[in-house]
């Protein structure tokens, strides 16, 4: 449980890290934006590395809670809701693409943030598989289809950072719908 100062630091880091990048933002900028001293920042997180790890964990937790909420209200095929959650999450911003892919591009090998990113990405892929098994129990290979949908989503979300909007995620959702119905239809429209 973070203190109020810790929450302000994490909120400031979340905004700055996503908008400007992990390496471009120093702890002084995070502390100033949060209205705390660097000493307070370090008291709450210990290091910039730990702040980055907590930023990634929080980003996962917030998005995952939103996804689960959307899934609880959805009708099959719920795998499409995963695409929707990337398109319309109300609080995280997505115009710079995937925060996890952006962070992975900046983090050195062995950084503990990479473990958070890997767990997040695996959770998304596993969620696709789970939803496909539940919503289409007779599907011939839900694991393979889950991998295809995951890669389709990842590529589209990566382009959100290039394009500045989610139109490719919308297109990827349309392709996913076709793949789930009949993979032979892809590319025929």
């Amino acid at each position: 449980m973070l203190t109020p100062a810790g929450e302000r630091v994490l909120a400031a880091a979340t905004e700055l890290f996503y908008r400007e990048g992990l390496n471009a933002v120093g702890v002084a900028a995070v502390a100033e934006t949060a209205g705390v001293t660097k000493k307070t920042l370090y008291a709450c997180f210990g290091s910039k590395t730990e702040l980055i790890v907590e930023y990634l964990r929080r980003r996962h937790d917030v998005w995952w809670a939103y996804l689960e909420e959307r899934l609880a209200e959805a009708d099959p095929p719920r795998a499409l809701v995963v695409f929707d959650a990337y398109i319309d999450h109300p609080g995280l911003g997505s115009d710079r693409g995937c925060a996890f892919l952006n962070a992975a591009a900046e983090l050195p090998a062995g950084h503990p943030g990479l473990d958070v990113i890997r767990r997040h990405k695996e959770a998304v892929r596993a969620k696709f598989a789970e939803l496909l098994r539940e919503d289409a129990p007779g599907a011939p290979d839900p694991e393979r289809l889950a991998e295809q949908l995951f890669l389709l989503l990842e590529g589209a979300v990566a382009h959100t950072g290039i394009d500045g909007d989610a139109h490719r995620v919308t297109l990827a959702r349309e392709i996913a719908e076709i793949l789930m119905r009949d993979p032979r239809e892809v590319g025929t429209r």
Side-chain angles (χ1 to χ4, degrees):
M1 182 94 168
L2 291 176
T3 65
E7 288 291 347
R8 287 195 314 274
V9 168
L10 188 54
T14 296
E15 177 66 25
L16 292 170
F17 288 162
Y18 183 69
R19 290 274 162 231
E20 298 178 28
L22 302 177
N23 294 328
V25 175
V27 292
V30 174
E32 182 180 330
T33 302
V36 302
T37 64
K38 286 189 344 183
K39 182 178 180 181
T40 299
L41 182 149
Y42 285 118
C44 294
F45 294 97
S47 67
K48 183 177 177 185
T49 296
E50 285 305 312
L51 179 58
I52 289 169
V53 168
E54 192 55 37
Y55 153 69
L56 293 168
R57 283 183 186 140
R58 175 69 60 93
R59 193 148 181 121
H60 168 81
D61 291 346
V62 169
W63 184 82
W64 200 263
Y66 178 71
L67 174 64
E68 290 293 345
E69 182 180 300
R70 294 285 308 271
L71 288 170
E73 301 168 351
D75 294 322
R78 293 173 299 151
L80 296 175
V81 173
V82 181
F83 290 85
D84 297 337
Y86 274 88
I87 294 168
D88 62 12
H89 189 282
L92 289 178
S94 61
D95 59 317
R96 293 196 34 86
C98 177
F100 297 98
L101 292 176
N102 294 346
E106 291 192 63
L107 296 176
H111 191 287
L114 291 171
D115 290 333
V116 178
I117 294 166
R118 286 183 195 102
R119 284 192 304 272
H120 171 77
K121 295 301 183 181
E122 178 50 32
V124 173
R125 197 215 58 76
K127 181 56 78 173
F128 272 129
E130 172 190 324
L131 295 169
L132 291 167
R133 283 190 306 272
E134 290 174 3
D135 291 350
D141 193 350
E143 292 298 324
R144 180 176 168 79
L145 182 55
E147 185 69 19
Q148 292 169 336
L149 296 183
F150 173 73
L151 293 172
L152 182 63
L153 177 65
E154 287 294 299
V157 171
H159 268 274
T160 301
I162 297 166
D163 302 333
D165 64 39
H167 77 277
R168 291 183 195 264
V169 181
T170 302
L171 178 59
R173 186 193 190 282
E174 293 171 12
I175 296 167
E177 194 169 9
I178 294 167
L179 274 171
M180 290 167 33
R181 187 175 54 240
D182 185 353
R184 295 170 298 189
E185 288 185 44
V186 175
T188 61
R189 291 184 181 204

